[in-house]
Amino acid sequence: MKEILNQIKGLSAGDLVMLEWHDASIGKSLSNGVSGIDVPVKSWGVFVGVLGQKRKHIILAQNCFRYSDGLYDIDYTAVPVPWAIGVTVLASAHVAAEEAKQLLNSFLINEKAKNKKPSLGRCLRQQRVRNHD
């Protein structure tokens, strides 16, 4: 575990990486000759950071959609740090540090929007529709 933490500390936002990790398996009988609970996975993406309050996750941006003025929507993979088994840097600073920061900010904006309750200024007004008089 210490080795993977040191590898993660050595990453910079914007690095193109391959992350090796073990995913959870579904609860089916292993009587068909397949053994092992851990499912090995390799994910490739741009490292944007480690986030999470209860459990830290490694965030890899995989598809980035730039709309305007640095606003992005991203497809991402979030891997719990304890599930990681290795990180390989494929290209340092593959994405410039400023752009990586914008990716992270867009990710955080999207997460905040999901958790935010509508304010009075943003409430939608519902109206009843009458199809017949």
Side-chain angles (χ1 to χ4, degrees):
M1 186 61 165
K2 283 187 178 183
E3 183 180 335
I4 191 68
L5 291 174
N6 286 333
Q7 289 177 350
I8 294 168
K9 286 178 184 176
L11 298 176
S12 297
D15 288 350
L16 178 63
V17 301
M18 178 186 65
L19 177 64
E20 295 180 76
W21 54 287
H22 283 135
D23 199 358
S25 64
I26 57 175
K28 292 196 175 198
S29 171
L30 300 177
S31 62
N32 62 1
V34 178
S35 64
I37 298 296
D38 297 326
V39 177
V41 180
K42 290 183 182 178
S43 297
W44 291 266
V46 175
F47 176 77
V48 294
V50 176
L51 299 173
Q53 291 179 356
K54 292 181 182 178
R55 176 173 284 151
K56 301 291 185 194
H57 287 71
I58 302 164
I59 309 297
L60 301 181
Q62 294 179 314
N63 294 306
C64 304
F65 307 90
R66 184 176 182 174
Y67 293 115
S68 64
D69 298 330
L71 180 64
Y72 289 85
D73 192 5
I74 65 174
D75 291 337
Y76 66 92
T77 296
V79 177
V81 170
W83 294 11
I85 57 174
V87 180
T88 303
V89 176
L90 303 174
S92 295
H94 181 71
V95 171
E98 184 58 36
E99 187 174 4
K101 182 179 176 183
Q102 290 174 337
L103 289 172
L104 179 61
N105 287 338
S106 294
F107 176 85
L108 294 174
I109 288 169
N110 288 339
E111 287 301 304
K112 287 177 186 175
K114 289 178 195 174
N115 297 326
K116 188 174 184 178
K117 295 179 182 176
S119 66
L120 293 176
R122 294 176 35 172
C123 286
L124 298 176
R125 184 173 167 215
Q126 292 183 336
Q127 294 182 341
R128 191 174 298 257
V129 176
R130 295 183 76 191
N131 291 332
H132 307 289
D133 284 331

